[in-house]
Amino acid sequence: MKISDIIGDLEGQASGPLYQKLHRALRQAIVDKRLAADDALPAERDIATDINVSRITVRKAIQALVDEGLVSRRHGAGTFITARVEKSFSKLSSFTEDMAARGWLARSAWLRRSEGTVTPEESLVLGLSPGSSVYRFHRIRYADDQPMAVETSTVPAYCLPSKEAVGSSLYEALEASGHRPVRALQRLRAVLFDDSQCELLGVEPGAPGLLIERRGFLPDGRSVELTQSWYRGDMYDFVAELNAGAA
Ligand code: GLP
């Protein structure tokens, strides 16, 4: 791949230091998908020779893309355009299904799997009487080997035969016991990860993320899940389809 074929002439760019022009041109190429997810960038010295700038200029431009999360350095392998997962908001899908749709294998690393009594807050949100049993699942979610999210779910105990019934997918286990949610309310907001979340997800301290809270319902209106998912901000893209005038 020749970067000069992809970004054209840097002189046509707005004013500013050369590395900023290169940074903007590369970013535009990523946004326009002329550089696609998982493409490897050529080596710094090859880019420098190709477009006739210094290696320092190339290095600074690439570092700016790394800082924005648009490319990532894989040790010993090179620099790659970051793959983002496009997530549709209209479908009530599971993490496992979202990843499979992109050809990735979802897996979970268990942080905690426990049985307990509903907390006062869960009792109100899930509509469960005080003293009801719940299962709690705390997991790191991976797409292939890439950590994507940290997730905490609370499920009324009557919805599953046991807490061990959940293998890699909560929704598969709920479906098998006839308790998969058919409707959900979801809230999304931007957050900054705390230190332990950064460590679990392998991102820089203070990295931005997306907190998605989902409350899932059974066909009869009972609540079946309360989940908080902290997604890596550099890995997720949310797409919503909007229709004008639908009553
Ligand atoms: C997404 C949702 C969660 C849901 C999970 C189930 O991450 N935000 O609310 O619990 O999918 O995924 P899986 O069936 O892969 O465990």
Side-chain angles (χ1 to χ4, degrees):
M1 175 208 295
K2 284 190 82 182
I3 287 295
S4 56
D5 293 340
I6 292 169
I7 62 172
D9 184 10
L10 279 186
E11 291 315 310
Q13 292 274 324
S15 61
L18 200 50
Y19 86 90
Q20 283 182 3
K21 292 185 183 181
L22 178 57
H23 169 218
R24 276 198 298 269
L26 288 170
R27 182 172 50 194
Q28 198 56 48
I30 295 170
V31 170
D32 297 345
K33 299 203 164 66
R34 281 174 280 140
L35 284 168
D38 282 332
D39 277 353
L41 286 178
E44 277 175 18
R45 65 175 171 283
D46 295 336
I47 299 179
T49 314
D50 176 20
I51 60 174
N52 201 20
V53 299
S54 73
R55 275 182 75 172
I56 301 286
T57 299
V58 177
R59 186 165 310 153
K60 284 172 82 175
I62 291 179
Q63 185 56 47
L65 295 171
V66 171
D67 294 343
E68 287 177 320
L70 291 171
V71 304
S72 61
R73 293 198 175 98
R74 294 185 202 156
H75 195 67
T79 305
F80 293 82
I81 312 303
T82 309
R84 285 172 172 252
V85 179
E86 280 190 10
K87 170 86 182 86
S88 159
F89 254 112
S90 53
K91 195 165 162 265
L92 179 52
S93 52
S94 71
F95 180 86
T96 304
E97 292 160 347
D98 291 343
M99 296 307 123
R102 274 100 205 157
W104 291 342
L105 184 67
R107 64 181 182 87
S108 304
W110 288 101
L111 296 169
R112 207 170 51 246
R113 182 163 28 180
S114 61
E115 181 169 3
T117 308
V118 75
T119 64
E121 179 169 291
E122 288 167 346
S123 161
L124 287 180
V125 176
L126 290 170
L128 293 171
S129 305
S132 304
S133 290
V134 291
Y135 296 132
R136 295 195 181 86
F137 305 104
H138 190 28
R139 309 177 275 174
I140 308 177
R141 311 303 312 261
Y142 292 86
D144 289 338
D145 289 326
Q146 188 80 244
M148 298 286 280
V150 183
E151 214 161 52
T152 308
S153 303
T154 305
V155 174
Y158 72 82
C159 292
L160 290 166
S162 71
K163 61 183 191 302
E164 284 74 28
V166 179
S168 71
S169 165
L170 172 61
Y171 278 18
E172 258 172 42
L174 288 171
E175 184 150 10
S177 68
H179 291 106
R180 184 176 167 132
V182 293
R183 186 176 83 84
L185 290 174
Q186 191 154 283
R187 176 185 181 197
L188 172 119
R189 60 200 154 109
V191 289
L192 293 179
F193 288 130
D194 65 26
D195 290 350
S196 75
Q197 290 166 334
C198 287
E199 203 172 308
L200 293 172
L201 291 170
V203 293
E204 293 296 311
L210 290 167
L211 169 57
I212 300 178
E213 296 172 283
R214 183 181 289 181
R215 187 174 155 201
F217 300 91
L218 296 171
D220 64 8
R222 285 179 296 168
S223 297
V224 62
E225 99 170 291
L226 176 62
T227 294
Q228 293 188 311
S229 313
W230 284 266
Y231 286 94
R232 277 176 55 172
D234 57 346
M235 294 299 287
Y236 248 69
D237 235 354
F238 290 88
V239 177
E241 189 174 308
L242 310 173
N243 292 308

